[in-house]
Amino acid sequence: MTTPGLFTSHVPGSSPVHRAPLWLKLAAVLVVGCAAWFARSLAAVLVVTALVVAAAVLARLPVRRLLGSVRALAPVLVLLLGFQWWQSGPAYAVRVVLGIVNAFLAAGVLTATTPVTDLLDGVVRAARPLRRVVDPEVVALTLGIVVRSVPWVAGSFSEVRQSARARGLERSPRAVVVPTVVHVVAYARSTGEALAARGLTDPAGSSGVGGAPGPDRPGSTSPVD
């Protein structure tokens, strides 16, 4: 059975981390992410790691979810560690990988302690000053799709890997990568078709891209019809 990660679902609670305002948690995630780039020593990165883990403990998040999140990212981290070790040496490689883990876990703590509706509402409010450039609702929709897709893709990869292991093919990259890519592409197409069925892929007032009928062209229909 696959252990759920931090991005799987919201974990209800009344801890200080749960009650913290969204802007503060977003700022903390940003700081953790920047620390991965600006830290010049392993000790500084380890301090950030301790702070992230302390936030997860303070939020009373299950340890299995922390470990499950890192385990899902482990294959990529191992490849990145080996490449950076070869390119820049062990000290730099460990700092880079640990910095990515910190940012990943910090984002996971944010999503695990914040309801998706609150997160999307916060994004809409933050994007409103830029409404002349981007549509805040579209930004929120995009974020919602990403938040929903990340655990789905991770779960699909885990299921394919377990299936390959049951057939004795766990050492074959093709037996894992190809079915995962097929599942992800099918998921992306079904998501796009669902958005198109709701009229969310053809901006209002567009003349139609690639020959597709726009709202003001013959043969087009309004999303609200």
Side-chain angles (χ1 to χ4, degrees):
M1 182 177 179
T2 303
T3 303
L6 293 174
F7 294 91
T8 304
S9 61
H10 170 59
V11 180
S14 58
S15 70
V17 180
H18 285 83
R19 298 195 305 268
L22 178 59
W23 68 266
L24 181 59
K25 289 190 277 190
L26 287 172
V29 172
L30 181 62
V31 170
V32 171
C34 291
W37 295 98
F38 294 106
R40 291 292 179 265
S41 67
L42 181 59
V45 179
L46 288 174
V47 169
V48 177
T49 303
L51 293 175
V52 173
V53 173
V57 172
L58 184 62
R60 299 184 180 87
L61 298 178
V63 176
R64 66 180 184 276
R65 299 192 72 163
L66 286 173
L67 297 178
S69 298
V70 177
R71 188 180 298 114
L73 199 63
V76 177
L77 294 177
V78 171
L79 292 176
L80 181 61
L81 178 66
F83 177 76
Q84 292 295 341
W85 194 306
W86 173 60
Q87 287 286 322
S88 306
Y92 181 79
V94 172
R95 289 206 314 269
V96 169
V97 171
L98 194 56
I100 293 175
V101 171
N102 291 342
F104 183 77
L105 290 180
V109 171
L110 168 66
T111 58
T113 59
T114 308
V116 175
T117 53
D118 293 349
L119 185 60
L120 297 182
D121 289 343
V123 170
V124 170
R125 289 194 300 270
R128 278 173 183 164
L130 303 175
R131 58 183 175 271
R132 293 187 177 181
V133 181
V134 295
D135 186 347
E137 300 296 338
V138 172
V139 174
L141 176 63
T142 303
L143 179 61
I145 293 174
V146 171
V147 171
R148 178 171 173 258
S149 300
V150 167
W152 190 94
V153 173
S156 176
F157 176 79
S158 178
E159 291 176 1
V160 169
R161 186 172 57 182
Q162 290 179 3
S163 177
R165 184 182 297 116
R167 301 195 306 271
L169 299 174
E170 66 274 12
R171 296 183 180 275
S172 172
R174 181 181 299 178
V176 176
V177 174
V178 173
T180 301
V181 170
V182 172
H183 289 172
V184 171
V185 171
Y187 177 80
R189 292 191 62 178
S190 63
T191 301
E193 291 171 357
L195 294 175
R198 290 163 176 79
L200 298 175
T201 58
D202 191 11
S206 67
S207 58
V209 179
D216 298 326
R217 295 175 58 182
S220 66
T221 58
S222 172
V224 298
D225 287 347

